[in-house]
């Protein structure tokens, strides 16, 4: 039994299953982070005092991490483009770079967390820190998820390139869409938590 | 669609009569072994049945919890007979139920019925089993994801069940888990939150799968306006789950943080608990939890009702031998209903100090959303008019559904207006109202659906006599359960009362109803026995039937019963709308969606 | 096909550059106090929204995407807006007096917030 439209596009929708599926998943993610942003706005407007992120967090490190994540989005889209150009070697290079940048992001994040703990800033210290740790923590879980998927595609999953190029390219595209979304969330988290 | 005519020859008029031999051999995947065939299966039919059976078991479990509560309400302070001894000293010393245990039972009854009973049965069970068959698909779009969805649900269920056995017992802050009570509550609440995260994950995976399947895997010729109403109902339901559940997941994570990481998302400053100031930063908002909770939980009630409406639509069309009245209107209504269900949630919060402006907004949206509900119900009623009705067992349940859902809906209107809601909020009137929707309403429809599609799943019919006993017994007793609740509530009797409201003078006149309700609830339990017996007996010993025992039109009846792996012997093609019953001039009183047009009946594409 | 991809790659690079510039911009602007917090929030959100739409349009190819997906996203964005604003309006519109109490631990939070 074969399920239709795994690779080829259905004529009337112009989509394959994976493409539609990943976008729907991202729609649900929008609502997930949406609820957190909504809570952030509400708690902040209700609060009697609310620190400026600049005063609590390390903005240069945050800026650096933003750049790292944007960079990883570029390498990810390049990995996909390489597959489109049938260049498997380059694909591996770009994907490895994406994973490397993701790990770098996590390391920097680890340092930031560590520093906060050192100076006695914990989730229970203030509502601002509570939402900071919750949102960045959830975002970090998403990064880890992305690293797992990308590592799979880099090593065991890449065997599919020899058996079914089109499907493998689709998978990389889907992983890319997810990855860009994680980047997108950070693009909003960064100013909201660090700069305002 | 483009190639309607090219594959026309393949249309399996033959299997309509069940003569088609099973197509097992064609599909390559034989001999998967026991585990992969029945346990870790990726076949949508097996997963659907797993979901349905697990859901039914949880419904039974949730019902048993309720039967225990009803003892305490009817005979407060008296030892529970027979099983009271087994409950243990921390729950019911000497067989007498503790208030704490009553609260656990109430919270878990609600949680289990909604998230582990009805949704898995209606969406996981019926959706998985019927939807791919109805659209002529070989399986769901992502079979492995489908399996993951079931097992995530299963883990969530196990966590919820296990929470009864941790110190302090299960969650006891109501199914709504309102803060700050829930933040102070015992470990069971943490398990509840973890369990919910698994259940939400399961629903998200499932809903992505349903939407992609419906949009992508429709058979050729099956345009959106030819989809059976059931498929539409499931599609809208899937969107509700997809977009409304994530905020509750976020809220669950935040409540988990409040409980284990000492944050104060939902804790205002200055809280005192057990005579001591609560150690937390404060500065949070209890209403934030309510907003996020009801952002899901209002759409959730449509998740509970829409699949039921879909099932009823199928059964009614089939048994009146008429097309459903106003198919397009039904479809537009269900879509509009789904959309509106996202903007009415704060009608659960009229008493939280929300001002008149916002109250008016939510009252207005609530009144607007009642319109499509009424339209759907009316369309289904009108369908009955002039039909030659077959009073089969599924049809009895579907017919009962209509007035029950009607009562449930109409009793909801006063709750949607803030002035009467001030009186009615948190009373047994509310309990009566929403149970009319989900119990005599949805449950009736789901039972009807089980009787209706049982032959498709097993190749055998359930016993008719036992079905009728089940129906009449349940229908009468369930009304005796819920009708008096409306009366008690109007008198002002509060819900969630451990002693059944005894300590309030104003309840004196309606207190005697407690015993009536409880006895009816136990009788209702007894009348489920014929169903349980019938269900299991019929799997092996029911009357054998062919592929289309109800002479139905939709595509699932074209497949052999039970359908083989891959479902159809030849890919189905849809040639017409879903409910072509009693078409003038046709040889039989139904034209199946997949039958090619005869010369006498020219193509209407 | 390949030229097509080549053209895309040029766009990716440009978008990557624009994102880097905008990141720098938003940080710099945040250090300058123009007209108080509301204005700063406005500017930061406009920049973030610009960056976000660049990512979505080009990296995620939304500008060339099918309308089924666009429709789903429009729906999602609508509910997102509902989710952000209705709870807020619900809080803003209340009966009677409504005071927010200070954080119970205001002293502990102060050192962090102080400088
Ligand atoms: C058919 C048999 C059922 C009976 C006799 C029954 C009875 C009750 C009663 C008496 C209560 C109120 C308890 C109290 O306030 O102390 C209650 C609460 C509730 N029931 Fe049911 N119920 C049934 C089925 C269902 C179903 C099918 C659902 C959902 C789909 C459901 C969902 C709930 C919920 C959400 C609550 C509120 C729990 C809370 O207060 O947190 N019930 N039920
Ligand atoms: Cu509601």
């Amino acid at each position: 039994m074969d399920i239709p439209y795994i690779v080829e596009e259905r004529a009337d929708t112009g989509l394959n299953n994976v493409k539609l599926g990943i976008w729907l998943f991202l729609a649900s993610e929008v609502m997930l982070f949406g609820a957190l942003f909504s809570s952030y706005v509400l708690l902040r407007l209700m609060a009697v005092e609310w620190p400026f992120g600049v005063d609590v967090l390390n903005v240069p490190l945050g800026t650096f991490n933003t750049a790292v994540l944007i960079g990883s989005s570029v390498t990810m889209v390049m990995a996909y483009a390489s597959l489109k150009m049938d260049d498997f070697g380059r694909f591996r290079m770009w994907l490895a770079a994406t994973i490397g940048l993701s790990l770098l992001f996590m390391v920097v994040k680890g340092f930031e967390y560590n520093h906060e703990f050192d100076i006695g800033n914990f989730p229970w210290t203030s509502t601002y820190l509570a939402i900071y740790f919750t949102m960045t923590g959830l975002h970090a879980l998403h990064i880890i998820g992305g690293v797992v998927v990308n590592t799979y595609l880099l090593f065991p999953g890449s065997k599919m390139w020899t058996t079914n190029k089109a499907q493998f390219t689709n998978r990389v595209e889907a992983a890319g869409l997810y990855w860009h979304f994680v980047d997108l969330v950070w693009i909003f988290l960064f100013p909201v938590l660090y700069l305002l | 669609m483009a190639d309607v005519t090219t594959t026309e020859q393949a249309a399996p008029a033959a299997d309509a009569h069940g003569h088609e031999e099973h197509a097992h051999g064609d599909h390559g995947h034989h001999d998967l072994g026991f585990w992969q065939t029945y346990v870790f299966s990726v076949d949508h039919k097996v997963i659907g049945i797993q979901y349905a059976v697990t859901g039914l078991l949880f419904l039974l479990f949730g019902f048993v919890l309720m039967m225990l509560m009803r003892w305490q309400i009817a005979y407060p302070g008296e030892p529970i007979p027979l099983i009271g001894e087994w409950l243990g000293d921390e729950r019911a010393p000497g067989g007498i139920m503790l208030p704490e245990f009553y609260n656990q039972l109430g919270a878990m009854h609600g949680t289990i019925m909604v998230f582990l009973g009805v949704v898995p049965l209606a969406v996981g069970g019926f959706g998985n089993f019927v939807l791919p068959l109805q659209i002529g698909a070989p399986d769901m779009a992502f079979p492995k994801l489908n399996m993951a969805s079931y097992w995530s649900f299963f883990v969530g269920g196990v966590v919820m069940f296990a929470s009864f056995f941790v110190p302090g017992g299960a969650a006891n802050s109501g199914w709504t888990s309102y803060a700050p009570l829930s933040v102070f509550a015992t470990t069971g609440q943490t398990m509840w939150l973890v369990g919910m995260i698994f259940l939400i994950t399961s629903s998200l995976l499932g809903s992505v799968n349903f939407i992609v399947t419906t949009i992508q895997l429709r058979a050729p010729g099956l345009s959106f306006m030819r989809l059976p109403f059931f498929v539409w109902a499931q599609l809208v339901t899937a969107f509700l789950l997809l977009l409304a559940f994530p905020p509750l997941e976020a809220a669950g994570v935040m409540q988990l943080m409040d409980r284990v990481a000492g944050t104060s998302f939902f804790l205002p400053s200055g809280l005192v608990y057990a005579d001591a100031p609560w150690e937390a930063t404060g500065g949070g908002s209890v209403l934030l939890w309510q907003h996020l909770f009801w952002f899901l939980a209002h759409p959730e009630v449509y998740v509970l009702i829409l699949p039921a409406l879909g099932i009823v639509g199928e059964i009614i069309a089939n048994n009146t031998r008429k097309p459903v009245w106003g198919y397009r209107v039904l479809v537009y209504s269900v879509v509009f209903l789904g959309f509106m269900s996202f903007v009415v949630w704060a009608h659960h919060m009229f008493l939280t100090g929300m001002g008149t402006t916002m109250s008016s907004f939510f009252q207005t949206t609530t009144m607007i959303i009642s319109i499509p509900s009424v339209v759907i119900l009316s369309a289904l009623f009108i369908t009955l008019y002039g039909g030659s009705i077959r009073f089969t067992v599924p049809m009895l349940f579907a017919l009962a559904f209509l007035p029950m859902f009607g009562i449930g809906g109409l009793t909801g209107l006063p709750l949607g207006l803030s002035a009467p809601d001030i009186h009615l909020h948190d009373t047994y009137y509310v309990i009566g109202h929403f149970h009319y929707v989900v119990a005599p309403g949805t449950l009736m429809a789901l039972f009807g659906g089980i009787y209706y599609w049982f032959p498709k799943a097993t190749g055998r019919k359930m016993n008719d006599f036992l079905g009728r006993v089940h129906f009449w017994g349940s229908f009468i007793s369930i009304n005796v359960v819920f009708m008096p609740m409306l009366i008690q509530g109007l008198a002002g009797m509060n819900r969630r009362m451990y002693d059944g409201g005894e300590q309030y003078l104003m309840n004196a006149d309606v207190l005697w109803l407690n015993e009536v309700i409880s006895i009816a609830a136990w009788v209702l339990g007894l009348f489920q026995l014929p169903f349980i017996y019938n269900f299991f007996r019929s799997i092996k010993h029911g009357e054998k039937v062919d592929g289309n025992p109800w002479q139905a039109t939709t595509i699932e009846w074209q497949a052999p019963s039970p359908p083989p792996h891959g479902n159809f012997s030849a890919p189905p093609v849809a040639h017409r709308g879903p409910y072509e019953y009693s078409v003038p001039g046709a040889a039989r009183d139904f034209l199946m969606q997949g039958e090619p047009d005869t010369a006498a009946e020219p193509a209407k594409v | 096909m390949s030229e097509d991809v080549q053209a895309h790659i040029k766009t990716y690079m440009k978008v990557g550059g624009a994102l880097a510039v905008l990141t720098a911009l938003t940080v710099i602007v945040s250090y300058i106090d123009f007209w108080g917090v509301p204005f700063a929030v406005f500017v930061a959100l406009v920049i973030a929204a610009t960056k976000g739409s660049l990512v979505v349009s080009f990296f995620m190819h939304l500008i060339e995407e099918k309308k089924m997906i666009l429709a789903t996203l429009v729906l999602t964005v609508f509910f997102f807006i509902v989710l952000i604003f209705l709870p807020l309006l619900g809080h803003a519109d209340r009966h009677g007096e409504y005071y927010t109490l200070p954080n119970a631990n205001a002293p502990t939070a102060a050192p962090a917030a102080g400088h």
Side-chain angles (χ1 to χ4, degrees):
Chain A
M1 170 199 67
D2 287 316
I3 292 166
Y5 312 118
I6 291 181
V7 181
E8 79 280 21
E9 285 157 3
R10 185 184 162 113
D12 54 352
T13 60
L15 295 167
N16 63 51
N17 300 347
V18 177
K19 180 70 112 17
L20 183 58
I22 192 77
W23 273 108
L24 289 169
F25 171 70
L26 293 182
S28 86
E29 292 278 87
V30 168
M31 298 306 283
L32 179 75
F33 283 99
L36 288 168
F37 278 107
S38 174
S39 310
Y40 169 88
V41 176
L42 196 136
L43 291 171
R44 179 168 185 170
L45 288 180
M46 274 182 52
V48 177
E49 79 265 292
W50 191 271
F52 283 109
V54 204
D55 299 326
V56 185
L57 303 175
N58 189 329
V59 174
L61 270 189
T63 314
F64 174 72
N65 245 356
T66 311
V68 169
L69 216 49
I70 289 174
S72 78
S73 250
V74 176
T75 54
M76 187 77 214
V77 82
M78 290 305 293
Y80 170 62
S82 312
L83 280 190
K84 281 271 187 194
M85 293 191 301
D86 219 355
D87 190 339
F88 189 66
R90 266 169 190 259
F91 157 75
R92 295 196 83 154
M93 186 193 85
W94 286 118
L95 193 63
T98 310
I99 297 171
L101 288 170
S102 332
L103 294 176
L104 178 60
F105 178 91
M106 288 301 287
V107 170
V108 173
K109 200 80 223 142
F111 275 116
E112 283 188 77
Y113 272 17
N114 229 335
H115 176 68
E116 294 303 324
F117 296 153
D118 277 347
I119 60 170
N121 281 342
F122 294 98
W124 56 85
T125 312
S126 72
T127 306
Y128 165 70
L129 284 165
I131 198 126
Y132 165 76
F133 280 112
T134 309
M135 289 181 105
T136 54
L138 206 62
H139 180 257
L141 284 182
H142 280 78
I143 301 256
I144 293 172
V147 171
V148 170
V149 171
N150 287 344
T151 312
Y152 171 79
L153 290 175
L154 182 61
F155 299 113
S158 68
K159 276 195 221 91
M160 190 184 244
W161 179 250
T162 50
T163 54
N164 192 341
K165 281 189 184 185
Q167 191 176 355
F168 185 67
T169 313
N170 277 352
R171 287 191 173 181
V172 172
E173 183 182 17
L177 285 171
Y178 170 78
W179 190 252
H180 301 311
F181 176 79
V182 174
D183 184 21
L184 177 73
V185 172
W186 184 259
I187 285 177
F188 283 92
L189 280 180
F190 173 61
V192 164
L193 294 173
Y194 284 75
L195 302 179
L196 294 179
Chain B
M1 306 298 106
D3 50 359
V4 176
T5 42
T6 51
T7 27
E8 204 151 79
Q9 298 313 324
D15 6 359
H17 305 286
H19 302 312
E20 186 71 44
E21 63 278 63
H22 289 200
H24 281 124
D26 304 348
H27 295 293
H29 290 280
H30 14 243
D31 299 332
L32 287 170
F34 173 80
W35 287 96
Q36 287 198 28
T37 314
Y38 296 109
V39 184
F40 296 107
S41 172
V42 292
D43 185 316
H44 75 98
K45 298 180 292 297
V46 178
I47 296 177
I49 292 170
Q50 286 175 329
Y51 256 122
V53 171
T54 325
L56 280 168
L57 288 175
F58 271 116
L59 278 178
L60 184 65
F61 181 57
F63 187 73
V64 169
L65 300 185
M66 174 43 58
M67 292 202 287
L68 281 176
M69 293 168 78
R70 285 309 318 182
W71 175 268
Q72 170 62 28
I73 296 174
Y75 311 110
E78 287 178 38
I80 304 165
L82 304 175
I83 57 166
E85 306 288 298
W86 307 346
L87 293 171
D89 276 353
E90 67 282 20
R91 302 188 188 92
I96 300 171
M97 188 183 291
L98 290 174
E100 289 80 5
F101 187 49
Y102 181 87
N103 287 344
Q104 293 170 34
L105 292 178
M108 294 311 283
H109 162 74
T111 306
I112 287 173
M113 285 301 200
V114 173
F115 297 111
L116 289 160
V118 173
V119 174
L121 179 56
V123 181
F126 284 107
N128 259 311
F129 188 88
V130 177
L131 185 139
L133 286 168
Q134 267 193 341
I135 62 172
D139 204 314
M140 295 284 274
F142 307 113
K144 290 197 193 103
L145 209 61
N146 206 12
M147 182 178 83
S149 162
Y150 173 75
W151 287 104
S152 176
F153 154 70
F154 189 82
V155 173
V158 169
V159 172
M160 290 287 188
F161 184 75
S163 74
F164 275 100
F165 303 101
V166 298
N172 52 22
S173 314
W175 84 290
T176 48
S177 282
Y178 274 5
L181 203 58
S182 53
V183 180
F184 302 151
T186 50
T187 325
Q189 182 65 24
T190 307
M191 306 268 288
W192 188 91
L193 291 165
V194 173
M196 281 308 293
I197 289 175
F198 278 103
L199 297 179
I200 294 173
T201 308
S202 154
S203 280
L204 289 179
L205 298 180
S207 57
V208 169
N209 219 340
F210 281 120
I211 299 173
V212 175
T213 305
T214 312
I215 291 180
Q216 292 284 100
L217 303 193
R218 283 167 294 127
L222 194 60
S223 59
F224 278 103
M225 278 303 159
R226 284 177 172 184
L227 289 177
F229 181 56
F230 175 81
V231 176
W232 269 108
Q234 289 282 348
L235 181 64
V236 174
T237 305
F239 268 103
L240 298 184
L241 289 172
L242 183 79
L243 298 178
F245 245 143
L248 185 65
E249 188 151 31
V253 169
M254 285 192 276
Q255 196 178 95
L256 209 55
M257 291 288 285
D258 275 5
R259 289 181 56 87
V260 301
T263 57
S264 297
F265 289 117
F266 304 125
L267 297 178
S269 309
L271 281 175
V272 174
Y273 177 69
D275 292 332
W278 184 258
E279 293 286 335
T281 51
S285 164
V286 293
L287 292 187
L288 176 59
W289 169 266
Q290 296 197 14
H291 278 297
L292 296 179
F293 178 82
W294 288 112
F295 187 88
L296 157 86
H298 187 85
E300 179 76 13
V301 307
Y302 290 91
V303 171
L304 300 175
I305 196 68
L306 292 183
L309 285 168
I311 292 170
V312 169
E314 300 301 304
I315 297 177
I316 286 191
N318 176 249
N319 287 285
T320 51
R321 319 303 293 164
K322 278 179 67 188
V324 290
W325 189 87
Y327 171 81
R328 271 170 192 273
V329 178
L330 279 174
V331 169
Y332 296 143
S333 300
V334 89
V335 171
F336 183 63
L337 198 69
F339 178 81
M340 286 303 289
S341 73
F342 280 88
V343 287
V344 299
W345 79 83
H347 60 209
H348 298 272
M349 299 169 61
F350 285 140
L351 266 71
T352 59
M354 196 165 61
T356 42
T357 317
M358 291 312 287
S359 290
S360 311
F361 173 79
F362 283 109
Q363 288 184 61
T364 313
T365 52
T366 305
M367 293 303 117
I368 293 175
I369 202 175
S370 65
I371 297 170
S373 320
V374 172
V375 169
I376 293 175
L377 195 59
S378 311
L380 292 175
F381 265 118
I382 297 172
T383 308
L384 300 178
Y385 181 78
S388 46
I389 299 179
R390 298 176 173 177
F391 289 96
T392 59
V393 175
M395 186 58 171
L396 291 178
F397 280 97
L399 285 175
F401 169 89
L402 297 179
M404 295 297 100
F405 177 61
I407 295 177
L410 291 176
T411 51
L413 290 177
L415 296 170
L417 296 166
S418 66
D421 189 51
I422 291 172
H423 176 63
L424 295 172
H425 185 79
D426 242 344
T427 64
Y428 262 87
Y429 181 87
V430 177
I431 302 283
H433 146 68
F434 75 76
H435 280 85
Y436 259 103
V437 179
V438 294
T442 299
L443 284 190
M444 287 282 156
L446 295 180
F447 279 128
I450 292 174
Y451 286 99
Y452 185 65
W453 278 297
F454 191 88
K456 182 56 31 185
T458 62
R460 291 165 190 275
K461 249 186 185 165
M462 287 172 78
N463 180 287
D464 196 64
F465 174 73
L466 288 175
R468 282 168 202 275
V469 172
H470 175 218
F471 169 74
W472 285 108
S474 304
F475 178 65
I476 294 170
S477 54
I478 210 166
N479 275 287
V480 180
V481 172
F482 293 114
M483 193 61 82
M485 288 193 192
L486 295 171
I487 299 169
Q488 289 185 320
L490 284 169
M493 185 166 138
N494 267 30
R495 66 191 277 204
R496 293 178 176 165
M497 283 283 136
Y498 162 65
D499 60 359
E502 237 180 8
Q503 79 259 47
Y504 291 108
L505 205 56
M506 67 196 177
N507 295 340
D509 289 345
V510 291
L511 218 50
W512 64 278
L513 286 169
N514 277 341
E515 195 175 350
V516 175
I517 296 175
S518 292
I519 292 172
W522 301 322
V523 171
L524 176 62
L526 282 182
F527 274 107
Q528 304 317 302
L529 297 179
F531 170 75
I532 296 171
Y533 173 72
N534 195 355
F535 187 87
F536 287 109
R537 205 195 88 98
S538 305
I539 295 174
K540 280 255 158 20
H541 305 289
E543 176 200 339
K544 273 200 169 169
V545 291
D546 62 12
N548 190 5
W550 309 111
Q551 295 85 42
T553 49
T554 43
I555 292 175
E556 80 270 30
W557 301 106
Q558 242 170 252
S561 298
H565 194 59
N567 294 345
F568 297 92
S569 23
V573 178
H575 296 273
R576 55 180 71 75
Y579 305 114
E580 301 284 316
Y581 287 104
S582 309
V583 179
R588 285 171 302 162
D589 75 341
F590 67 107
L591 281 171
M592 296 186 71
Q593 273 195 289
E595 280 174 306
D597 298 310
T598 54
E601 215 256 329
K604 313 183 271 191
V605 179
Chain C
M1 181 75 212
S2 186
E3 284 106 75
D4 210 31
V5 182
Q6 292 294 354
H8 269 118
I9 290 178
K10 285 216 184 71
T11 328
Y12 299 150
M13 291 306 165
K14 278 188 211 145
V15 172
L19 290 173
V21 171
L22 287 170
T23 306
L25 185 69
T26 190
V27 174
I28 294 165
V29 170
S30 79
Y31 281 102
I32 310 168
D33 190 0
F34 287 108
W35 293 290
V37 176
F39 186 74
V41 171
F42 177 74
V43 172
L45 287 185
V46 167
I47 297 180
T50 315
K51 288 165 75 183
S53 34
L54 285 175
V55 170
V56 173
S57 317
F58 298 105
F59 288 171
M60 300 170 86
H61 306 111
L62 197 63
I63 44 170
E64 8 183 298
E65 206 41 272
K66 300 294 178 308
K67 68 172 188 304
M68 184 87 66
I69 285 175
L70 286 173
T72 311
L73 291 179
V74 168
L75 189 72
T76 311
V77 167
F78 176 80
F79 290 144
F80 176 85
I81 292 170
V82 167
L83 179 60
I84 298 274
F85 286 102
L86 282 194
L88 212 58
L89 292 174
H91 269 70
D93 173 38
R94 339 197 98 257
H95 268 314
E97 305 290 303
Y98 180 68
Y99 297 107
T100 310
L101 292 168
N103 271 4
N105 70 330
T108 21
H115 347 255

